[in-house]
């Protein structure tokens, strides 16, 4: 971070929205308090405004709850999909490893047979060579 970023950090959108909401409430309260109305009317207006704010807060809370529930379901679904994909990939890799191991074992068996056969042939050739030179 540079010096300017340290001095003036960027605020998140939710912090900004909270500031606007609180500022609006304070402005409305100040307007009502400084309005030239009798006390009874002012208290009635304040009570009405508080009721409206309470209702609006409940609506916002319901929307936030719905969105959070949807988000949780989406995350759960995506996590499940990823787990299935990873599991399938793991199974594919394991199958490939098993097949490669079987191929290597077959090749090793063939090579062992060929070496044994070549060794027998060389043994016979050496025996014949020794018998022909000793006569």
């Amino acid at each position: 971070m540079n010096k300017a970023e340290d001095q003036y950090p960027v605020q998140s959108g939710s912090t900004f929205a909270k500031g606007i909401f609180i500022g609006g409430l304070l402005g409305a309260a100040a307007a009502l308090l400084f309005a030239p109305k009798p006390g009874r009317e002012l208290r009635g207006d304040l009570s009405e405004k508080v009721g409206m704010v309470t209702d609006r807060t409940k609506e916002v809370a319901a929307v936030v709850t719905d969105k959070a529930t949807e988000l949780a379901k989406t995350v759960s679904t995506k996590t499940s999909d990823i787990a299935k994909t990873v599991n399938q990939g793991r199974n594919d890799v394991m199958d490939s490893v098993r097949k490669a191991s079987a191929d290597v074992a077959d090749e090793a068996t063939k090579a062992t047979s060929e070496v044994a056969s070549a060794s027998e042939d060389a043994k016979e050739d050496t025996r014949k060579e020794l018998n022909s030179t000793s006569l």
Side-chain angles (χ1 to χ4, degrees):
M1 292 178 106
N2 62 28
K3 186 175 180 181
E5 289 174 338
D6 286 335
Q7 290 177 347
Y8 306 105
V10 177
Q11 295 181 353
S12 68
S14 65
T15 304
F16 183 71
K18 287 177 189 175
I20 289 176
F21 182 71
I22 292 170
L25 288 176
L26 291 175
L32 289 174
L33 290 174
F34 291 112
K37 289 185 178 183
R40 186 170 291 171
E41 284 182 37
L42 181 61
R43 286 189 297 274
D45 287 348
L46 282 174
S47 176
E48 182 182 323
K49 296 294 181 185
V50 167
M52 288 174 45
V53 168
T54 303
D55 292 342
R56 181 68 182 143
T57 302
K58 288 178 183 177
E59 290 173 10
V60 169
V63 169
V64 168
T65 301
D66 291 343
K67 293 294 181 182
T69 302
E70 289 176 24
L71 180 63
K73 287 179 183 177
T74 301
V75 168
S76 176
T77 302
K78 295 293 181 183
T79 302
S80 178
D81 291 345
I82 289 171
K84 288 177 185 175
T85 302
V86 167
N87 196 22
Q88 183 178 7
R90 181 185 57 86
N91 289 339
D92 291 346
V93 168
M94 290 300 293
D95 289 343
S96 295
V97 168
R98 284 186 193 112
K99 185 178 180 205
S101 294
D103 291 346
V104 167
D106 289 344
E107 289 297 321
T109 302
K110 287 179 187 176
T112 302
S113 297
E114 289 175 5
V115 167
S117 176
S119 176
E120 282 296 320
D121 290 345
K123 180 179 166 185
E124 288 299 319
D125 289 344
T126 305
R127 204 177 274 158
K128 286 179 185 176
E129 217 28 66
L130 283 174
N131 287 337
S132 68
T133 55
S134 61
L135 290 174

